[in-house]
Every structure is written in structure tokens, then in C-alpha cells.
Amino acid sequence: MSVLQAILDGLLVGGVYAVISIGLTLVYGVMGIVNFAQGEFLTIGMFVAWFAWAFLGLDPVLAAPLSFGVAFAIGWIVQGQLIARVLKAPSVAQIFLTVGILIVIENGSLLLFGSQFRSVTTVYQTMSLRLGPLFISVPYLIAFAMSLACGTALWWFMQSSWFGRAMRATAQNPVAAQLVGIDTARMYKIAYALGVGLTAFGGAIILPYVTVFPSVGGQFVVLMFTVVVLGGLGSVAGAVAGGLAVGVIQSLSSLVFPIQLQNLVLFIVFILVLAIRPQGLVGASR
Amino acid sequence: MAGAATPGSAASQQKTPAKCRARCGTHSHNRVRNTEGRRKREGGMSKNVQSQVKGLNRRTLFAGTVSLLAMPSVLHSAHAATPVINVGVIMPLSGANAQFGINSRNGIELVADEINAAGGIKELGGAKINLIVADSTSTPTTAGTVAQRLITQNDVVAILGAFASSLTIAISEVTERQDVPLLTMSFADQITGRGYKNIFQVVAKASVIGKAQLDYTAAIAQAAGAKIDKIAIMYEDTAYGTAQAGGLRAGAKAANIEIVMDDAYPLGITDATPLINKLRTSGAQAVFPVSYLNDSLLIIRTMRQQRITIPAVGGAAGYVIPDFEKGLGEFAENVLSIAPANYDLAPGLTERFRKRFGYFMVHEALEHAVCLEVLVQAIEKAKSAKAQDVVATLHGAKFTHGWTRAMPGGTVEFDQTGLNTLSVPLMVQWRNKELVTVWPKDIAKSEAKWQS
């Protein structure tokens, strides 16, 4: 029974890992930028949701679209003003830039909001559903459902909307895309804004069970990179598979090993997967 | 700010000469004269350097030189007015432990302002306390570097800090080498357990606190007619959690209580479900989580989700600050925790903190306030602000008045290792958004409730 419980918990947590990581993989997939500042957009999303909760009385889950919007706007500006300048630069310059953005956002929020821990109180925070002997944590379940909805919406957007197809075309061949009349600069903006917006959305939906403070993104960023590399860097389906896999591995490993070694087990599996399937679980090569 | 201003002004500088040259010929004269003037001022400057200087922004250079010349005199005049004693304060003001660092700094600032307002350090001609606050972030290496800087550049008489044991240990390596006293409220046993002579710990050690956490709980349960023989321990794996868990284990062994779960977890954990799953199947009758705020919220929330109703007895840190109650609301009610001190034992003093900062005086603020109080009393007694005189006095004397009265025991006295031998831990319980001392019985403000 405890194995089932562990798998269930792992899947619920993993769904959230997936949605916060999709943004990272999207940004890489479309424009080839490894966005080290991705975790900070999670923080931004959490802060927006916290303020919406504290001052507007909005539940963090309902505030998630607001978080998405704010991060989308910031992402649009950041891409247009900063990232666009290093698209063709050596990757070192790209790393410096995104790490620089990370530092600016982290310290900016420290300056603006101070360093205290902020958490919300909601009615469902301490509730769970019983499924026979299994417990389903309500805040985890809500976050998972929201992730699922968000992932589906993104999938529809990428597959069926004109923007989505244009974005995929840009990812495949920017020059050809431009030749057929796609404004690639605009596609990059949309991709980046969408990518960080999704992560911020994820930040808001985990707020009922995670405390927000300026460096909270750092706790998730390693997981995010593990998820996307495990799933196959640049692949949205890979991020979903990777997210679920990471959640389940973490959860199952704590049945056998001390919880301290949770991430160690994760990284061992990670290295093994990379050794056997360097292209990741869902082998989409860019 | 200077960095932001420079590019703009440099650009305007580049534009102006070109524009002016087109209109008049006077600027070239000016430039020559200025260069000559500079050569006179600065003596033998090589041609090479000069051409570089010309490329730089002259106005910036001039402004920089003037401010550099002016700065020491400004500082000097400030020093001349009243004698000043520099006290270093190193706290985690950013990163995972920032809130605790800020609470601690608030406590120290309150006492410093009170002492300064009351005429400063009398034996040293009314010298004012000048706090030099530095951010250790939440990483030990930074803490060590910052300590080094405070000692060599700011000439501090002592250092106070740094809440988290792992940070304090890093700082103590530096203060021990440099012979500067370090006063702390960190719990870990290593702090006074390494034979250092410049370190002073105003609270009981983590192992003692851990043992008290268990002993008091057993006593409270017994007083309520319950008996515990199976317990669970979970702790964050830095110096603080590890040391306190050791005390819990020793206490359980002495009381013949079985430990059915004993798990360390990494600080900054994002999901406590595996811990609580394990707890549920362990059959424990009480759980002893030793954690900072973020993890303590996760643990209690997940326990409530899984309807685990056994009492949780926190290990200070995360369980005894207002944010704990804010994060849990009604679910915080009746949660017990061990604490090295509590504000309700000396409301006359601690209410001054609440008045100024708007929340009750959390224990780390209180104990760090006591650290500064003890330091000032030691300087008064030694009639000297030399680090070594202060250390000698700290080792020998009893400190009995002012903020030391807020400590359980009411007095501070350090033994040869630097440990305050008079401090005893106490048990507190959340009641209607306030922390109430409920054990030991002789100092309790209210009766303990044995329920989750």
C-alpha cells in the first residue's frame, strides 16, 4: 500500500514539476537559449499570487492566470530588450545574460519585498481525500489538475493555433520561417513570454503548499533542469514525462533510502538514463 | 548607482567636445591647460597613463578624487564628536534563514538604541554603540568572509551572530584566530564543545535542548494521564537539527522510550509527504520535528492532511515565530515546542520590542538582545573595549541586570568553555496567536494541554 501511496504522491508532485519545467524546455526548443533565470519567474509567479491573496483575497489557484499575465509581460520585455541581443552570440554570453537576469530578479525582489517567508492560508490546505487506504492531498490534487489543464491548453496552442505552428516552424528553421512571412523576432518574444509565464503559473498553483521568499526559485531550478534534460531538452512531451518521472523517483526512493538521499537517487537515475539514452526519455532531437 | 550614472555621462562627454570644436576653438586650449594642471598636481605621470586618463572621463575622475579626499574627514569628524564602539552583527539577512536573521537584528538594534539613548557606555565616557550589520547570506563560507572583513576593516570589539549554527561555527573559526569575542544564541554543541576561548553561548546546548524536548513532553503527557513509549524524530540535516536530534535520542534512551522513526531530511525540502507517510505507518505516539519555518509548515500541514492527530512537539526555530501561526492559522493552536527562552517571562522588557516592531519578541531576538546586553556589561566591568579585556571579563563575571533578566534563570554566567550554565530550556504552546510558557512548572504561565 505504501508503494501505491508513494507512486500517487509522486505523480501529483510530478505533474507540477512538469508544468514549471515546460517553460524552460519551450524557451530552449524554440530559440536555443538555456534560461537560467527560469526559477526566478517561478518566484515572480508566487509573489504575484501571494499579493493577490493578501490584498485582493484571491485564492492562489484563481490568481494563477494573473501570475501568468505578469510574467508574460515581463518575459516579453526581457526577451525583446535583452535576450534578443544575444540570440546569435556565443553561448557563454547567453549564460552570463540569463544568470545576470536571475541575480537581478532575486535581489530585486529581496529589495522590494524583504526576505521574510510568506505563506497563504486556504481552507483546503490541510484537507485530503480518502481513497480506500490512500490519502490524496487536496492542495496537491488541485495543483495537479491545474497543471494538466495548463499543459493541455499549451498542447492545443502549439498544435492547432497559427501562432503555435509558426513557433514550431521558427524552431525548425528560422530562415525558412522568415521567408514564408513569419515574424521570427515576434515568435521568439511569444515563446519566451509564454515559457516564463507557464512557470509563473506553476508558482501560483503550488503556493498553497510552498512558502514564498526571494530565493525560493533556487530550490526548484535544479529539479527543473533535471526534468527537462531527463525528458529530452526542447521537448514539451519530454518535460511532462520527465516531470512525472522525477516526482515518482523521488517519492519511491524515500521508501527505501533515507529522505536525505532522495535527490541522490534521482541523479543516479538521471545519469543512467543519459548514459543509455542521451537524447532523453522522449527522444525529440532538436 | 555610480555605475549606472557613468555610461550616460561618458556618452555626453564624448558628444560635447565634437559639437564645441565645430563652433569655437577654445576647447583645445582648455584641454591643454587642464592636462598641464593635472601634471603639476600628480607629478611624474607617464605618457602612457596620461593618454589613458584622457580617454577616461575627466569630470568623473575629478569628482572621484574630491570625494575620496573628503570622505576621511567626514568620517573623522563623526568620530571626534562622541567615542564610538563598533560592534559587528553578522546575520543571514538573505537566503533561506533570512527571517530569523532579521528578527535577531531587530532585537540587537532595540538594545543598542536603548543603551545609546540612556547615555551610552558610561565607563568609556558615554561611548555610543555603533552596530555594523553584515549579511552572511545563508551560506557558511560567506559568513566566514564577512567576519574577517568586520574584524580587519571595521575594528569591531566583538561579533554577535549568526542565528544558524552552521553560520556561527564558520564565523567562530575567524574570531578564534583573531582573538575577538563572538556571542551567539546558536544551539549546536560544537559551538562551545571545541575548547575555543573566544566564543560565548547564552543558551543551552542543542543536545540539552533536545533532551529537554523529550523529557518535558514525557512529563506533560504524564501530568495529563497519558504515557508515551513510541516516538518519531525528524530533523533538518544541518548542524542545528543534527545536534538536537542527538539530544532527543539520548533522552529517549534514558527514559526507555522506543524511537520508531528517526529521519534526517535536507534543509530546503519542497515536499514533506514521504516523511509524513512514514510517520503514519510508524505507530508513534508523538512526533518531534526539528525544523526551520518552511519545513515546519510543510510538516504540520501534511500531518493535518493525513489526519494524523498525535501531538507534534517542535524544536524551536520554525515553531516559535509569528509566521508559523500566520501560515497555519487555527491549525497552529496547541502545537507545543521547546524554546531556549520566551517573551512572556519578562513582558516588561519584551513588550518594548512588540511596540517597536509590531510582533512579539521571538526568542532569537530576545537571546541576541541578551548577547549585546552581556557584551556591554562586560565592557563596563572591564572599563575597556579591548577584545582581550572583554573576553577575560566575560569568562569570570555574573551578569544579572537589564535584558539578562529575560533569560530563564534571570542571570547569565559563562563557564570556561563559554557556555551559559544558568540557561534552561522551556516548553511553549500556541494559544490564540500567542506563545505561552507551559513547562517547567515553576516558571509556567499556563497549564500545558496534551492534545494535537
Side-chain angles (χ1 to χ4, degrees), chain A residues 25-52:
Chain A
T25 217
L26 189 69
V27 171
Y28 180 80
V30 175
M31 59 183 103
I33 294 264
V34 179
N35 186 25
F36 285 95
Q38 196 79 23
E40 273 46 50
F41 283 94
L42 183 89
T43 316
I44 289 177
M46 292 177 80
F47 268 118
V48 170
W50 188 86
F51 280 105

Side-chain angles (χ1 to χ4, degrees), chain A residues 5-6 9 13 17 110 115-117 119-121 124-130 133 135 137-140 207-211 213 215 219-220 223 250-251 254 257-260 262, chain B residues 93-100 102 237 263-266 268-275 277-278 280-281 293-294 297-298 300-301 304-307 323 325-329 331:
Chain A
Q5 178 77 52
D9 292 336
V13 177
Y17 290 164
L110 196 65
S115 57
Q116 65 260 47
F117 297 89
S119 60
V120 299
T121 33
Y124 55 86
Q125 201 159 46
T126 47
M127 291 200 300
S128 66
L129 306 174
R130 287 297 291 266
F135 283 89
S137 150
V138 170
Y140 280 31
L207 194 58
Y209 61 91
V210 179
T211 317
F213 52 98
S215 54
Q219 291 184 349
F220 287 91
L223 279 176
Q250 274 191 333
S251 189
S254 62
F257 301 102
I259 286 144
Q260 263 178 313
Q262 200 179 50
Chain B
L93 301 175
S94 56
N97 285 328
Q99 191 53 45
F100 301 103
I102 289 166
D237 64 357
D263 271 40
Y265 66 84
I269 193 171
T270 52
D271 172 26
T273 324
L275 277 172
N277 284 341
K278 213 164 171 181
R280 200 178 64 234
T281 51
L293 178 68
N294 203 20
L297 289 179
L298 276 175
I300 300 292
R301 279 179 188 161
R304 298 293 184 252
Q305 278 172 18
Q306 304 205 1
R307 289 158 224 174
D323 295 284
E325 194 277 332
K326 271 193 224 156
L328 287 170
F331 295 103

